[in-house]
Amino acid sequence: MIRIEKLNKSYRIGERSLHVLKDLDMSVDEGEFVSIMGSSGSGKSTLLNILGILDRYDSGEYCLGDALVKDLDERAAATYRNRYLGFVFQSFHLLAYKTALENVALPLYYAGVSRRERSERAMELLERVGLADWHDHRPSELSGGQKQRVAIARSLVNKPRVILADEPTGALDTQTSYDIMELLEEVHAEGMTILVVTHEPDIAERTQRTIRLRDGRIESDGR
């Protein structure tokens, strides 16, 4: 599903270049549940941004499914993201002025899906994450755990092949974090490929495999 070979990424900082990812090799098979760990500055957020086609890489190869992801313009990148990827973020990224139902349905609006189908699919997913009764509530009326459940429902609405979750439990208490991981485990059990970036060992332990980054390289891979 995901294959990376000799991937390099650098950023210009003033007069110097910061080499963040260094000849990185990594693969994730379809249906795997993988966590990515590493200290601040290890490159895990940069890696996730490249996997999510939110940032470009300098050299190497990144293959998503059967497609080589390289030097895409924004329209092509958006097409790949809509076709393959769902995103879950630590800060939820919900629109404050829209209801839970509208937030979940939003990716379908950009995909040109009819209003009726958008609402039906969004409600089905809110039912799945246990929030059907909260469909008309705005984010300010939801708890942190409820917001993340809405975000997970939104990540699934386009029927992606891969979920990328960036610190999905970082803003939640312990029990709520475990509830969110249980929901992700249920999604994974249905065949979804999931990658979770986390700094929490107890969260990583709930995945099948942990990749540890250090200074832009893979330090260990629990394959």
Side-chain angles (χ1 to χ4, degrees), residues 176-191:
T176 306
S177 296
Y178 290 164
D179 292 342
I180 291 300
M181 288 304 295
E182 185 173 332
L183 177 56
L184 289 176
E185 288 166 359
E186 291 172 5
V187 171
H188 167 251
E190 296 175 3

Side-chain angles (χ1 to χ4, degrees), residues 2 37 54 95 102 108 161 184 199 204 211:
I2 289 173
M37 298 191 73
L54 300 170
L95 296 181
E102 291 167 337
L108 298 177
R161 297 179 64 184
L184 289 176
H199 65 277
I211 297 171

